Amino acid sequence: MSSSIRTRIAQVLTSLPPQVRLIAVTKQVSSDAIKEAYEAGVRDFAESRIQEAASKQVELQDLSDITWHFIGNLQSNKAKKALELFQWIHSVDDLKLAQRLNQLAEELSVKPKVCLQVKILPDPSKSGWTVTQLLTDLSTLNLCKNLQIQGLMTIPPLGLKESEILDVFSRTTQLAQEIQEQNYEHIQMHELSMGMSGDYHLAVKAGATMVRLGTILFGGRNI
Ligand SMILES: *Cc1c(COP(=O)(O)O)cnc(C)c1O
């Protein structure tokens, strides 16, 4: 329903502090619905599949001031395509992928903004750095000069209580601060991509700068 996307976006925007950027997650959302979100003022859109994003971007090419964010699991054979289609990649989840993106970015003469995906708690169903591994890899990540490393991204495991989710987000914020204090030349930690429809209020409390919202804006998906 056309008015309802607009209404929901307006409601969410009024509930967000001004420094928090709304990233509208449009997987399984039609290009027409994306246009409505655009008309309601959204300029940041996220997809989790390369092919789906590619066809929507063709349909939406007139909306030239959209910033596209990739938030899905990125296979290395799709990395080049991702750099061609997206200005941001939130889901850089290991050193090998970071290095591959860095090399491809050089070849394509692009400087993508990226977040490092981190798992604060063990979660076999998700990819991402453990805290220990991330701290170990920082000095090598700092050599990836074609990446603009902007901060951290996290998704809490399913089934946690609110207080535990808040704790995951707070620990992510603290980790970003710790890393920022190490003053790496090519690693910035000012962005915290955390919070989805069910938990973004907690993420905002803990210091999120970007929330990735799908269902609450566009309604339920099939999967
Ligand atoms: C689907 C997805 C979202 C949005 O989830 P909702 O619960 O629909 O808001 C956010 N982040 C990632 C990584 C996703 O895959």
Side-chain angles (χ1 to χ4, degrees):
M1 279 283 143
S2 72
S3 62
S4 75
I5 290 177
R6 179 177 281 274
T7 307
R8 289 183 217 163
I9 287 173
Q11 281 166 353
V12 167
L13 283 175
T14 40
S15 78
L16 288 177
Q19 73 277 10
V20 178
R21 189 159 162 184
L22 170 63
I23 317 286
V25 176
T26 50
K27 58 191 185 201
Q28 294 182 34
V29 171
S30 70
S31 293
D32 282 342
I34 296 176
K35 275 185 198 158
E36 290 179 29
Y38 181 91
E39 279 157 19
V42 178
R43 292 294 179 273
D44 292 279
F45 293 91
E47 291 278 343
S48 56
R49 296 202 178 157
I50 300 290
Q51 208 43 56
E52 185 180 340
S55 46
K56 285 183 204 168
Q57 287 189 17
V58 170
E59 291 169 9
L60 297 166
Q61 56 193 340
D62 291 347
L63 310 181
S64 59
D65 59 346
I66 288 180
T67 298
W68 289 99
H69 302 251
F70 187 76
I71 58 171
N73 204 338
L74 187 53
Q75 291 152 1
S76 74
N77 63 344
K78 303 254 175 80
K80 178 158 182 259
K81 196 76 192 156
L83 290 177
E84 289 167 354
L85 297 177
F86 294 89
Q87 292 78 57
W88 277 82
I89 299 178
H90 292 231
S91 45
V92 179
D93 55 11
D94 69 15
L95 184 59
K96 227 177 126 196
L97 177 61
Q99 290 175 320
R100 173 142 179 83
L101 288 168
N102 182 57
Q103 187 198 332
L104 291 165
E106 170 144 41
E107 290 167 25
L108 296 167
S109 300
V110 293
K111 287 244 181 321
K113 295 188 170 169
V114 308
C115 294
L116 308 176
Q117 184 172 352
V118 65
K119 289 195 284 196
I120 297 295
L121 297 177
D123 186 351
S125 72
K126 299 247 161 45
S127 55
W129 270 275
T130 63
V131 173
T132 316
Q133 192 61 52
L134 179 58
L135 293 172
T136 305
D137 287 344
L138 286 175
S139 53
T140 314
L141 284 165
N142 190 45
L143 303 173
C144 295
K145 297 183 182 163
N146 303 299
L147 303 182
Q148 302 187 62
I149 298 174
Q150 301 287 293
L152 300 179
M153 185 273 234
T154 202
I155 306 171
L158 290 176
L160 298 184
K161 291 185 292 195
E162 286 218 338
S163 59
E164 295 167 328
I165 297 172
L166 183 60
D167 189 54
V168 164
F169 290 144
S170 302
R171 284 162 67 184
T172 308
T173 304
Q174 280 166 26
L175 177 62
Q177 277 163 6
E178 260 175 58
I179 295 172
Q180 186 67 44
E181 281 162 14
Q182 297 186 34
N183 285 317
Y184 285 101
E185 190 181 353
H186 297 289
I187 300 176
Q188 293 303 317
M189 281 287 136
H190 300 307
E191 299 284 355
L192 290 161
S193 170
M194 49 192 202
M196 303 169 42
S197 294
D199 58 16
Y200 77 99
H201 59 294
L202 300 170
V204 166
K205 253 191 214 169
T209 63
M210 296 190 281
V211 291
R212 309 177 310 272
L213 304 184
T215 319
I216 199 173
L217 306 180
F218 299 107
R221 292 178 299 267
N222 293 326
I223 322 169

